[in-house]
Coordinates of all heavy atoms in Angstrom, one line a residue:
M193 N 0.8 -1.2 0.0 CA 0.0 0.0 0.0 C 0.9 1.3 0.0 O 0.4 2.3 -0.4 CB -0.9 0.0 1.2 CG -2.1 -1.0 1.1 SD -3.1 -0.7 -0.4 CE -4.1 0.6 0.2
R194 N 2.1 1.2 0.4 CA 2.9 2.4 0.4 C 3.1 3.0 -0.9 O 3.2 4.2 -1.0 CB 4.3 2.0 1.0 CG 4.3 1.8 2.5 CD 5.6 2.1 3.1 NE 5.3 2.3 4.5 CZ 6.2 2.4 5.4 NH1 7.4 2.4 5.0 NH2 5.9 2.6 6.6
I195 N 3.2 2.2 -2.0 CA 3.3 2.8 -3.3 C 2.1 3.7 -3.7 O 2.2 4.7 -4.2 CB 3.6 1.8 -4.4 CG1 4.1 2.4 -5.7 CG2 2.4 0.9 -4.6 CD1 4.7 1.5 -6.6
F196 N 0.9 3.2 -3.3 CA -0.3 4.0 -3.6 C -0.3 5.3 -2.7 O -0.7 6.3 -3.2 CB -1.6 3.2 -3.3 CG -1.7 2.0 -4.2 CD1 -1.8 0.7 -3.7 CD2 -1.8 2.2 -5.6 CE1 -1.9 -0.4 -4.5 CE2 -1.9 1.1 -6.4 CZ -2.0 -0.2 -5.9
E197 N 0.1 5.2 -1.5 CA 0.1 6.4 -0.6 C 1.1 7.4 -1.1 O 0.8 8.6 -1.2 CB 0.5 6.0 0.8 CG -0.6 5.2 1.5 CD -0.1 4.5 2.8 OE1 1.1 4.7 3.1 OE2 -0.9 3.9 3.5
T198 N 2.3 6.9 -1.6 CA 3.3 7.8 -2.1 C 2.8 8.5 -3.4 O 2.9 9.7 -3.6 CB 4.6 7.0 -2.4 OG1 5.0 6.4 -1.2 CG2 5.7 7.9 -2.9
A199 N 2.2 7.7 -4.3 CA 1.7 8.2 -5.5 C 0.6 9.2 -5.3 O 0.6 10.3 -5.9 CB 1.2 7.1 -6.4
A200 N -0.3 8.9 -4.4 CA -1.4 9.9 -4.1 C -0.9 11.1 -3.4 O -1.3 12.2 -3.8 CB -2.4 9.2 -3.1
R201 N 0.1 11.0 -2.6 CA 0.7 12.2 -1.9 C 1.4 13.1 -3.0 O 1.2 14.3 -3.0 CB 1.7 11.8 -0.9 CG 2.3 13.0 -0.1 CD 3.2 12.6 1.0 NE 3.2 11.3 1.5 CZ 4.1 10.3 1.3 NH1 5.2 10.6 0.6 NH2 4.0 9.1 1.8
E202 N 2.1 12.5 -3.9 CA 2.8 13.3 -5.0 C 1.8 13.9 -5.9 O 2.0 15.1 -6.3 CB 3.7 12.4 -5.8 CG 4.9 11.9 -5.0 CD 5.8 13.1 -4.6 OE1 6.0 14.0 -5.4 OE2 6.3 13.0 -3.4
L203 N 0.7 13.3 -6.2 CA -0.3 13.9 -7.1 C -1.0 15.0 -6.4 O -1.3 16.0 -7.0 CB -1.3 12.8 -7.5 CG -0.9 11.9 -8.6 CD1 -1.9 10.7 -8.8 CD2 -0.7 12.6 -9.9
R204 N -1.3 14.9 -5.1 CA -1.9 16.0 -4.3 C -1.0 17.2 -4.3 O -1.4 18.3 -4.4 CB -2.3 15.5 -2.9 CG -3.6 14.8 -2.8 CD -4.0 14.7 -1.4 NE -3.1 14.1 -0.5 CZ -3.0 12.8 -0.3 NH1 -3.9 11.9 -0.8 NH2 -2.1 12.3 0.6
H205 N 0.3 16.9 -4.1 CA 1.2 18.0 -4.1 C 1.3 18.7 -5.4 O 1.4 19.9 -5.5 CB 2.6 17.5 -3.6 CG 3.7 18.6 -3.6 ND1 3.7 19.6 -2.7 CD2 4.7 18.8 -4.4 CE1 4.7 20.4 -2.9 NE2 5.4 19.9 -4.0
M206 N 1.4 17.9 -6.5 CA 1.5 18.5 -7.8 C 0.2 19.3 -8.2 O 0.3 20.3 -8.9 CB 1.7 17.4 -8.9 CG 3.1 17.1 -9.3 SD 3.3 15.8 -10.5 CE 1.8 15.7 -11.4
H207 N -0.9 18.8 -7.8 CA -2.2 19.4 -8.2 C -2.9 20.1 -7.0 O -4.1 20.0 -6.8 CB -3.1 18.3 -8.8 CG -2.5 17.7 -10.0 ND1 -2.4 18.4 -11.2 CD2 -1.9 16.5 -10.2 CE1 -1.8 17.6 -12.1 NE2 -1.5 16.5 -11.5
D208 N -2.1 20.8 -6.2 CA -2.6 21.6 -5.2 C -3.7 22.6 -5.7 O -3.4 23.3 -6.7 CB -1.5 22.4 -4.5 CG -2.0 23.2 -3.3 OD1 -3.0 22.9 -2.7 OD2 -1.3 24.2 -3.0
A209 N -4.8 22.7 -5.1 CA -5.9 23.5 -5.6 C -5.5 25.0 -5.7 O -5.9 25.7 -6.7 CB -7.1 23.4 -4.6
E210 N -4.7 25.5 -4.9 CA -4.3 26.9 -5.0 C -3.4 27.1 -6.3 O -3.6 28.1 -6.9 CB -3.4 27.3 -3.8 CG -4.2 27.4 -2.5 CD -5.3 28.5 -2.6 OE1 -5.0 29.6 -3.1 OE2 -6.4 28.3 -2.1
E211 N -2.6 26.2 -6.6 CA -1.7 26.3 -7.8 C -2.6 26.2 -9.0 O -2.3 26.8 -10.0 CB -0.6 25.3 -7.8 CG 0.4 25.5 -6.8 CD 1.2 26.8 -7.1 OE1 1.5 27.0 -8.2 OE2 1.5 27.5 -6.1
L212 N -3.6 25.3 -9.0 CA -4.4 25.1 -10.2 C -5.3 26.2 -10.6 O -5.8 26.3 -11.7 CB -5.2 23.8 -10.1 CG -4.3 22.5 -10.1 CD1 -5.2 21.3 -9.9 CD2 -3.5 22.4 -11.4
R213 N -5.5 27.2 -9.7 CA -6.3 28.4 -10.0 C -5.5 29.2 -11.1 O -6.2 30.0 -11.8 CB -6.6 29.2 -8.8 CG -7.5 28.4 -7.9 CD -8.1 29.3 -6.8 NE -8.9 28.4 -6.0 CZ -9.0 28.5 -4.7 NH1 -8.3 29.4 -4.0 NH2 -9.8 27.7 -4.0
C214 N -4.2 29.1 -11.1 CA -3.5 29.9 -12.1 C -2.6 29.0 -12.8 O -1.4 28.7 -12.5 CB -2.6 31.0 -11.3 SG -1.8 32.1 -12.4
L215 N -3.1 28.4 -13.9 CA -2.4 27.3 -14.6 C -1.1 27.8 -15.3 O -0.2 27.0 -15.5 CB -3.3 26.7 -15.7 CG -4.5 25.9 -15.1 CD1 -5.4 25.4 -16.2 CD2 -4.0 24.8 -14.3
E216 N -1.0 29.1 -15.5 CA 0.3 29.6 -16.1 C 1.5 29.3 -15.2 O 2.6 29.2 -15.6 CB 0.2 31.1 -16.3 CG -0.8 31.5 -17.4 CD -2.3 31.7 -16.8 OE1 -2.4 31.6 -15.6 OE2 -3.2 31.9 -17.6
K217 N 1.2 29.3 -13.9 CA 2.3 29.0 -12.9 C 2.7 27.5 -12.8 O 3.8 27.2 -12.4 CB 1.9 29.5 -11.5 CG 1.7 30.9 -11.4 CD 1.3 31.3 -9.9 CE 1.2 32.8 -9.8 NZ 0.7 33.2 -8.4
V218 N 1.7 26.7 -13.3 CA 1.9 25.2 -13.2 C 2.6 24.7 -14.4 O 3.4 23.8 -14.4 CB 0.6 24.5 -12.9 CG1 0.8 23.0 -12.9 CG2 -0.1 25.0 -11.7
S219 N 2.3 25.3 -15.6 CA 2.7 24.7 -16.8 C 3.3 25.8 -17.8 O 2.6 26.7 -18.1 CB 1.6 24.0 -17.5 OG 1.9 23.7 -18.9
E220 N 4.5 25.6 -18.1 CA 5.2 26.5 -19.1 C 4.4 26.5 -20.4 O 4.2 27.5 -21.1 CB 6.6 26.2 -19.3 CG 7.4 27.1 -20.3 CD 7.5 28.5 -19.8 OE1 7.5 28.8 -18.6 OE2 7.7 29.4 -20.7
G221 N 4.0 25.3 -20.8 CA 3.3 25.1 -22.1 C 2.0 25.9 -22.1 O 1.6 26.5 -23.1
Y222 N 1.3 25.8 -21.0 CA 0.0 26.6 -20.8 C 0.3 28.1 -20.9 O -0.5 28.8 -21.6 CB -0.6 26.2 -19.5 CG -2.0 26.8 -19.4 CD1 -3.1 26.0 -19.7 CD2 -2.3 28.0 -18.9 CE1 -4.4 26.5 -19.6 CE2 -3.5 28.6 -18.7 CZ -4.6 27.8 -19.1 OH -5.9 28.3 -19.0
Y223 N 1.3 28.5 -20.3 CA 1.7 29.9 -20.3 C 2.0 30.4 -21.7 O 1.5 31.4 -22.2 CB 2.9 30.2 -19.4 CG 3.4 31.6 -19.5 CD1 2.8 32.6 -18.8 CD2 4.5 31.9 -20.3 CE1 3.3 34.0 -18.9 CE2 5.0 33.2 -20.4 CZ 4.4 34.2 -19.7 OH 4.8 35.5 -19.8
Q224 N 2.8 29.6 -22.4 CA 3.1 30.0 -23.8 C 1.9 30.0 -24.7 O 1.7 30.9 -25.6 CB 4.1 29.0 -24.4 CG 5.5 29.0 -23.7 CD 6.2 30.4 -23.9 OE1 6.0 31.1 -24.9 NE2 6.9 30.8 -22.9
A225 N 1.0 29.0 -24.6 CA -0.2 28.9 -25.3 C -1.1 30.2 -25.0 O -1.7 30.7 -26.0 CB -1.0 27.6 -25.1
E226 N -1.2 30.5 -23.8 CA -2.0 31.7 -23.4 C -1.5 33.0 -24.0 O -2.2 33.8 -24.6 CB -2.1 31.8 -21.9 CG -3.0 32.9 -21.4 CD -4.4 32.6 -21.6 OE1 -4.8 31.4 -21.7 OE2 -5.2 33.6 -21.6
Q227 N -0.1 33.1 -24.0 CA 0.5 34.3 -24.6 C 0.3 34.3 -26.1 O -0.1 35.4 -26.7 CB 2.0 34.3 -24.3 CG 2.3 34.5 -22.8 CD 1.7 35.8 -22.3 OE1 1.9 36.8 -22.8 NE2 1.0 35.7 -21.2
S228 N 0.4 33.2 -26.8 CA 0.1 33.1 -28.2 C -1.3 33.5 -28.5 O -1.6 34.2 -29.5 CB 0.5 31.7 -28.7 OG 0.2 31.6 -30.1
N229 N -2.3 33.0 -27.7 CA -3.7 33.3 -28.0 C -3.9 34.8 -27.8 O -4.7 35.3 -28.6 CB -4.6 32.5 -27.0 CG -4.9 31.1 -27.5 OD1 -4.6 30.8 -28.6 ND2 -5.5 30.3 -26.6
N230 N -3.3 35.4 -26.9 CA -3.5 36.8 -26.7 C -3.0 37.6 -27.9 O -3.6 38.6 -28.3 CB -2.8 37.3 -25.4 CG -3.4 36.8 -24.2 OD1 -4.6 36.5 -24.2 ND2 -2.7 36.8 -23.0
Q231 N -1.8 37.2 -28.4 CA -1.3 37.8 -29.6 C -2.2 37.7 -30.8 O -2.5 38.6 -31.6 CB 0.1 37.2 -30.0 CG 1.2 37.5 -28.9 CD 1.8 38.8 -29.1 OE1 1.8 39.4 -30.1 NE2 2.3 39.4 -28.0
L232 N -2.7 36.4 -31.0 CA -3.6 36.2 -32.1 C -4.9 36.9 -32.0 O -5.4 37.4 -33.0 CB -3.9 34.7 -32.2 CG -2.7 33.8 -32.6 CD1 -3.0 32.3 -32.4 CD2 -2.3 34.1 -34.0
K233 N -5.4 37.1 -30.8 CA -6.7 37.8 -30.6 C -6.5 39.3 -31.0 O -7.3 39.9 -31.6 CB -7.1 37.7 -29.1 CG -8.3 38.4 -28.7 CD -9.5 37.5 -28.8 CE -10.7 38.2 -28.4 NZ -11.8 37.3 -28.0
K234 N -5.3 39.9 -30.6 CA -5.0 41.2 -31.0 C -5.0 41.4 -32.5 O -5.5 42.4 -33.1 CB -3.7 41.7 -30.4 CG -3.7 42.0 -28.9 CD -2.3 42.4 -28.4 CE -2.3 42.4 -26.9 NZ -1.0 42.7 -26.4
R235 N -4.4 40.4 -33.2 CA -4.3 40.5 -34.7 C -5.7 40.4 -35.3 O -6.0 41.1 -36.2 CB -3.4 39.4 -35.2 CG -1.9 39.7 -34.9 CD -1.0 38.8 -35.6 NE -1.1 38.8 -37.0 CZ -0.8 37.8 -37.8 NH1 -0.3 36.7 -37.3 NH2 -1.0 37.9 -39.1
L236 N -6.5 39.5 -34.7 CA -7.9 39.3 -35.2 C -8.7 40.5 -35.1 O -9.5 40.9 -35.9 CB -8.6 38.1 -34.6 CG -8.2 36.7 -35.0 CD1 -8.8 35.6 -34.2 CD2 -8.5 36.5 -36.5
L237 N -8.5 41.2 -33.9 CA -9.3 42.4 -33.7 C -8.9 43.5 -34.7 O -9.8 44.3 -35.1 CB -9.0 43.0 -32.3 CG -9.7 42.2 -31.2 CD1 -9.1 42.6 -29.8 CD2 -11.2 42.3 -31.2
E238 N -7.7 43.5 -35.2 CA -7.3 44.4 -36.3 C -7.8 44.1 -37.6 O -8.1 44.9 -38.4 CB -5.8 44.5 -36.3 CG -5.1 45.0 -35.1 CD -3.6 44.8 -35.1 OE1 -3.1 44.2 -36.1 OE2 -2.9 45.2 -34.1
I239 N -8.0 42.8 -37.9 CA -8.4 42.3 -39.2 C -9.9 42.1 -39.4 O -10.4 42.5 -40.5 CB -7.6 41.0 -39.5 CG1 -6.1 41.2 -39.5 CG2 -8.1 40.4 -40.8 CD1 -5.3 39.9 -39.5
L240 N -10.5 41.5 -38.5 CA -11.9 41.1 -38.7 C -12.9 42.1 -38.2 O -12.7 42.9 -37.4 CB -12.2 39.8 -37.9 CG -11.4 38.5 -38.4 CD1 -11.8 37.3 -37.5 CD2 -11.8 38.2 -39.8
S241 N -14.1 42.0 -38.8 CA -15.3 42.8 -38.4 C -15.8 42.3 -37.0 O -15.4 41.2 -36.6 CB -16.4 42.7 -39.4 OG -16.9 41.4 -39.4
K242 N -16.7 43.0 -36.4 CA -17.3 42.6 -35.1 C -18.0 41.2 -35.3 O -17.9 40.4 -34.5 CB -18.3 43.7 -34.7 CG -19.2 43.3 -33.5 CD -18.4 43.4 -32.2 CE -19.3 43.3 -31.1 NZ -19.1 42.1 -30.3
E243 N -18.7 41.1 -36.4 CA -19.4 39.8 -36.7 C -18.4 38.6 -36.8 O -18.6 37.5 -36.3 CB -20.2 39.9 -38.0 CG -21.0 38.6 -38.2 CD -21.8 38.7 -39.5 OE1 -21.8 39.8 -40.2 OE2 -22.5 37.8 -39.9
G244 N -17.3 38.9 -37.5 CA -16.2 37.9 -37.6 C -15.6 37.5 -36.3 O -15.4 36.3 -36.0
I245 N -15.4 38.5 -35.4 CA -14.9 38.2 -34.1 C -15.9 37.4 -33.3 O -15.5 36.4 -32.6 CB -14.6 39.5 -33.3 CG1 -13.5 40.3 -34.0 CG2 -14.2 39.3 -31.9 CD1 -12.1 39.7 -34.0
D246 N -17.2 37.7 -33.4 CA -18.2 36.9 -32.7 C -18.2 35.5 -33.1 O -18.4 34.6 -32.3 CB -19.6 37.6 -32.9 CG -19.7 38.9 -32.2 OD1 -18.9 39.2 -31.3 OD2 -20.6 39.7 -32.5
I247 N -18.1 35.3 -34.4 CA -18.1 33.9 -34.9 C -16.8 33.1 -34.4 O -16.9 32.0 -34.0 CB -18.1 33.9 -36.5 CG1 -19.5 34.4 -37.0 CG2 -17.8 32.5 -37.1 CD1 -19.5 34.7 -38.5
V248 N -15.7 33.7 -34.5 CA -14.5 33.1 -34.0 C -14.6 32.8 -32.5 O -14.2 31.7 -32.0 CB -13.2 34.0 -34.3 CG1 -12.0 33.4 -33.5 CG2 -13.0 34.0 -35.8
D249 N -15.1 33.7 -31.7 CA -15.3 33.5 -30.3 C -16.3 32.3 -30.0 O -16.0 31.5 -29.1 CB -15.9 34.8 -29.6 CG -14.8 35.8 -29.4 OD1 -13.6 35.5 -29.4 OD2 -15.2 37.0 -29.1
K250 N -17.3 32.2 -30.8 CA -18.3 31.1 -30.6 C -17.6 29.8 -31.0 O -17.9 28.8 -30.3 CB -19.5 31.4 -31.5 CG -20.6 30.3 -31.3 CD -21.1 30.3 -29.9 CE -22.2 29.2 -29.8 NZ -22.5 28.9 -28.4
M251 N -16.8 29.8 -32.0 CA -16.1 28.6 -32.4 C -15.2 28.2 -31.3 O -15.1 27.0 -30.9 CB -15.3 28.8 -33.7 CG -16.2 28.8 -34.9 SD -15.2 29.1 -36.4 CE -14.0 27.8 -36.4
Q252 N -14.5 29.1 -30.7 CA -13.6 28.8 -29.6 C -14.4 28.3 -28.4 O -13.9 27.3 -27.7 CB -12.8 30.1 -29.2 CG -11.9 29.8 -28.0 CD -10.8 28.8 -28.3 OE1 -10.3 28.7 -29.4 NE2 -10.5 28.0 -27.3
E253 N -15.5 28.8 -28.1 CA -16.3 28.3 -27.0 C -16.8 26.9 -27.2 O -16.7 26.0 -26.3 CB -17.6 29.2 -26.8 CG -17.3 30.6 -26.2 CD -18.5 31.5 -26.1 OE1 -19.6 31.0 -26.3 OE2 -18.3 32.7 -26.0
N254 N -17.2 26.6 -28.5 CA -17.6 25.2 -28.8 C -16.4 24.3 -28.7 O -16.6 23.2 -28.2 CB -18.2 25.2 -30.2 CG -19.5 25.9 -30.4 OD1 -20.2 26.1 -29.4 ND2 -19.9 26.2 -31.6
F255 N -15.2 24.7 -29.2 CA -14.1 23.8 -29.1 C -13.7 23.6 -27.6 O -13.4 22.4 -27.3 CB -12.9 24.5 -29.8 CG -11.6 23.7 -29.7 CD1 -11.4 22.6 -30.5 CD2 -10.6 24.1 -28.8 CE1 -10.2 21.9 -30.4 CE2 -9.5 23.4 -28.6 CZ -9.3 22.3 -29.4
T256 N -13.8 24.6 -26.8 CA -13.4 24.4 -25.4 C -14.4 23.5 -24.7 O -14.0 22.6 -23.9 CB -13.4 25.8 -24.7 OG1 -12.5 26.7 -25.3 CG2 -13.1 25.7 -23.2
E257 N -15.7 23.6 -25.0 CA -16.7 22.7 -24.5 C -16.4 21.3 -24.9 O -16.5 20.4 -24.0 CB -18.1 23.2 -24.9 CG -19.2 22.3 -24.4 CD -19.5 22.5 -22.9 OE1 -19.0 23.5 -22.3 OE2 -20.1 21.6 -22.3
K258 N -16.1 21.1 -26.1 CA -15.7 19.7 -26.6 C -14.5 19.1 -25.8 O -14.5 18.0 -25.4 CB -15.5 19.7 -28.1 CG -16.7 19.8 -28.9 CD -16.4 19.8 -30.4 CE -15.1 19.2 -30.9 NZ -14.8 19.3 -32.3
E259 N -13.5 20.0 -25.6 CA -12.3 19.5 -24.9 C -12.6 19.2 -23.4 O -12.1 18.3 -22.9 CB -11.2 20.6 -25.0 CG -10.6 20.7 -26.4 CD -10.0 19.4 -26.8 OE1 -9.1 18.9 -26.1 OE2 -10.3 19.0 -27.9
I260 N -13.5 20.0 -22.8 CA -13.8 19.7 -21.4 C -14.6 18.4 -21.3 O -14.3 17.6 -20.4 CB -14.7 20.9 -20.9 CG1 -13.8 22.1 -20.7 CG2 -15.4 20.5 -19.6 CD1 -14.6 23.4 -20.4
L261 N -15.5 18.2 -22.2 CA -16.3 17.0 -22.2 C -15.4 15.8 -22.5 O -15.5 14.7 -21.8 CB -17.5 17.0 -23.2 CG -18.6 18.0 -22.8 CD1 -19.5 18.2 -24.0 CD2 -19.3 17.6 -21.6
A262 N -14.5 15.9 -23.4 CA -13.6 14.8 -23.7 C -12.7 14.5 -22.5 O -12.4 13.4 -22.2 CB -12.7 15.1 -24.9
G263 N -12.2 15.6 -21.9 CA -11.4 15.4 -20.7 C -12.1 14.7 -19.6 O -11.6 13.8 -18.9
E264 N -13.4 15.0 -19.4 CA -14.2 14.3 -18.4 C -14.4 12.8 -18.7 O -14.3 11.9 -17.8 CB -15.6 14.9 -18.2 CG -15.5 16.3 -17.6 CD -16.9 17.0 -17.6 OE1 -17.9 16.4 -18.1 OE2 -17.0 18.1 -17.1
I265 N -14.6 12.5 -20.0 CA -14.7 11.1 -20.4 C -13.4 10.4 -20.2 O -13.4 9.3 -19.6 CB -15.1 11.1 -21.9 CG1 -16.5 11.6 -22.1 CG2 -15.0 9.6 -22.5 CD1 -16.9 11.9 -23.6
Y266 N -12.3 10.9 -20.6 CA -11.0 10.3 -20.4 C -10.7 10.1 -18.9 O -10.1 9.1 -18.5 CB -9.9 11.0 -21.1 CG -10.0 10.9 -22.6 CD1 -9.8 12.1 -23.4 CD2 -10.3 9.7 -23.3 CE1 -9.9 12.0 -24.8 CE2 -10.4 9.7 -24.6 CZ -10.2 10.8 -25.4 OH -10.4 10.7 -26.7
Y267 N -11.0 11.2 -18.1 CA -10.7 11.1 -16.7 C -11.5 10.0 -16.1 O -11.0 9.1 -15.3 CB -11.1 12.4 -16.0 CG -10.9 12.4 -14.5 CD1 -9.7 12.6 -13.9 CD2 -12.0 12.0 -13.7 CE1 -9.6 12.5 -12.5 CE2 -11.9 12.0 -12.3 CZ -10.6 12.2 -11.7 OH -10.5 12.1 -10.4
N268 N -12.8 9.9 -16.4 CA -13.7 8.8 -15.8 C -13.2 7.4 -16.2 O -13.2 6.5 -15.4 CB -15.1 9.0 -16.2 CG -15.7 10.2 -15.5 OD1 -15.3 10.6 -14.5 ND2 -16.8 10.8 -16.1
Q269 N -12.8 7.3 -17.5 CA -12.3 6.0 -18.0 C -11.0 5.7 -17.2 O -10.8 4.5 -16.8 CB -12.0 6.0 -19.5 CG -11.6 4.7 -20.0 CD -12.7 3.6 -19.8 OE1 -13.8 3.8 -20.1 NE2 -12.2 2.5 -19.2
G270 N -10.1 6.6 -17.1 CA -8.8 6.4 -16.4 C -9.1 6.0 -14.9 O -8.4 5.1 -14.4
F271 N -10.0 6.7 -14.3 CA -10.3 6.4 -12.9 C -10.9 5.0 -12.8 O -10.5 4.2 -11.9 CB -11.4 7.4 -12.4 CG -11.7 7.2 -10.9 CD1 -10.8 7.7 -9.9 CD2 -12.8 6.5 -10.5 CE1 -11.1 7.5 -8.6 CE2 -13.1 6.4 -9.2 CZ -12.3 6.9 -8.2
C272 N -11.8 4.6 -13.7 CA -12.3 3.3 -13.7 C -11.2 2.2 -13.9 O -11.2 1.2 -13.2 CB -13.4 3.2 -14.8 SG -14.1 1.5 -15.0
D273 N -10.3 2.5 -14.8 CA -9.2 1.6 -15.1 C -8.3 1.4 -13.9 O -7.8 0.4 -13.5 CB -8.4 2.0 -16.3 CG -9.1 1.9 -17.6 OD1 -10.1 1.2 -17.7 OD2 -8.6 2.5 -18.6
A274 N -8.0 2.6 -13.2 CA -7.2 2.5 -12.0 C -7.9 1.7 -10.9 O -7.2 0.9 -10.2 CB -6.9 3.9 -11.4
I275 N -9.2 1.8 -10.7 CA -9.9 1.0 -9.7 C -9.8 -0.4 -10.0 O -9.6 -1.3 -9.2 CB -11.3 1.5 -9.5 CG1 -11.4 2.9 -9.0 CG2 -12.1 0.6 -8.7 CD1 -10.8 3.1 -7.6
K276 N -10.0 -0.8 -11.3 CA -9.9 -2.2 -11.7 C -8.5 -2.7 -11.5 O -8.4 -3.9 -11.0 CB -10.2 -2.3 -13.2 CG -11.6 -2.2 -13.6 CD -11.8 -2.3 -15.1 CE -13.2 -2.0 -15.6 NZ -13.3 -2.1 -17.1
L277 N -7.5 -1.9 -11.8 CA -6.1 -2.4 -11.5 C -5.9 -2.6 -10.0 O -5.3 -3.6 -9.6 CB -5.1 -1.3 -12.0 CG -3.6 -1.6 -11.8 CD1 -3.2 -2.9 -12.5 CD2 -2.8 -0.4 -12.2
M278 N -6.3 -1.7 -9.2 CA -6.2 -1.9 -7.7 C -6.9 -3.1 -7.2 O -6.4 -3.9 -6.4 CB -6.6 -0.6 -7.0 CG -5.7 0.5 -7.1 SD -6.1 1.9 -6.0 CE -7.4 2.7 -6.9
M279 N -8.1 -3.3 -7.7 CA -8.9 -4.5 -7.3 C -8.2 -5.8 -7.8 O -8.1 -6.7 -7.0 CB -10.3 -4.4 -7.8 CG -11.1 -3.3 -7.3 SD -11.2 -3.3 -5.5 CE -12.2 -4.7 -5.1
Q280 N -7.7 -5.8 -9.0 CA -7.0 -6.9 -9.5 C -5.7 -7.2 -8.7 O -5.3 -8.3 -8.4 CB -6.7 -6.8 -11.0 CG -7.9 -6.9 -11.9 CD -7.6 -6.5 -13.3 OE1 -6.5 -6.1 -13.6 NE2 -8.5 -6.7 -14.2
S281 N -5.0 -6.1 -8.3 CA -3.8 -6.2 -7.6 C -4.1 -6.8 -6.2 O -3.3 -7.6 -5.7 CB -3.1 -4.9 -7.4 OG -2.7 -4.4 -8.7
L282 N -5.2 -6.3 -5.6 CA -5.5 -6.9 -4.2 C -5.9 -8.3 -4.3 O -5.7 -9.1 -3.4 CB -6.6 -6.0 -3.6 CG -6.2 -4.6 -3.3 CD1 -7.4 -3.7 -2.9 CD2 -5.2 -4.6 -2.2
A283 N -6.6 -8.7 -5.4 CA -7.1 -10.1 -5.5 C -6.0 -11.0 -6.1 O -6.2 -12.2 -6.0 CB -8.3 -10.1 -6.4
W284 N -5.0 -10.5 -6.6 CA -4.0 -11.3 -7.3 C -3.4 -12.4 -6.4 O -3.2 -13.5 -6.8 CB -2.9 -10.4 -7.9 CG -1.9 -11.2 -8.8 CD1 -2.3 -11.9 -9.8 CD2 -0.5 -11.2 -8.7 NE1 -1.1 -12.4 -10.4 CE2 0.0 -12.0 -9.7 CE3 0.4 -10.6 -7.8 CZ2 1.3 -12.2 -9.9 CZ3 1.7 -10.8 -8.0 CH2 2.2 -11.6 -9.0
E285 N -3.0 -12.1 -5.2 CA -2.4 -13.0 -4.3 C -3.2 -14.3 -4.1 O -2.7 -15.4 -4.2 CB -2.2 -12.4 -2.9 CG -1.4 -13.2 -1.9 CD 0.1 -13.4 -2.3 OE1 0.6 -12.4 -2.9 OE2 0.6 -14.4 -2.0
S286 N -4.5 -14.1 -3.8 CA -5.3 -15.3 -3.6 C -5.6 -16.1 -4.9 O -5.7 -17.3 -4.9 CB -6.7 -14.9 -3.0 OG -7.4 -14.0 -3.9
V287 N -5.6 -15.5 -6.0 CA -5.8 -16.1 -7.3 C -4.6 -17.0 -7.7 O -4.7 -18.1 -8.3 CB -6.1 -15.1 -8.4 CG1 -6.1 -15.8 -9.8 CG2 -7.4 -14.4 -8.1
R288 N -3.4 -16.5 -7.3 CA -2.1 -17.2 -7.7 C -2.1 -18.6 -7.0 O -1.4 -19.5 -7.5 CB -0.9 -16.4 -7.3 CG -0.7 -15.3 -8.3 CD 0.7 -14.6 -8.0 NE 1.3 -15.1 -6.8 CZ 2.4 -14.6 -6.3 NH1 3.0 -13.6 -6.9 NH2 3.0 -15.0 -5.2
R289 N -2.6 -18.7 -5.8 CA -2.5 -20.0 -5.1 C -3.2 -21.1 -5.7 O -3.8 -21.6 -6.3 CB -3.0 -19.8 -3.6 CG -2.1 -18.8 -2.9 CD -2.6 -18.6 -1.5 NE -1.8 -17.6 -0.9 CZ -2.0 -17.1 0.3 NH1 -2.9 -17.6 1.0 NH2 -1.2 -16.2 0.7

């Protein structure tokens, strides 16, 4: 059980709720993507009409919603797989005999 406790402790430390409120501090990649998006948004504001900006914003909202839903699906599947693995690990000793 120590390996599970160690892994859980490390994950809790990595994903502290206070740190996750500002993802730019947690991930350099996230920070770079955010900066790039800000630059692109400035360029779009110079190029597109108000209607064009609204369409791009709506597309981004739809994309974000899809990514959130996909993340939830993958998270739930990963959690289910982890529980199965733990249950199989706990039952393995008696099955081997």
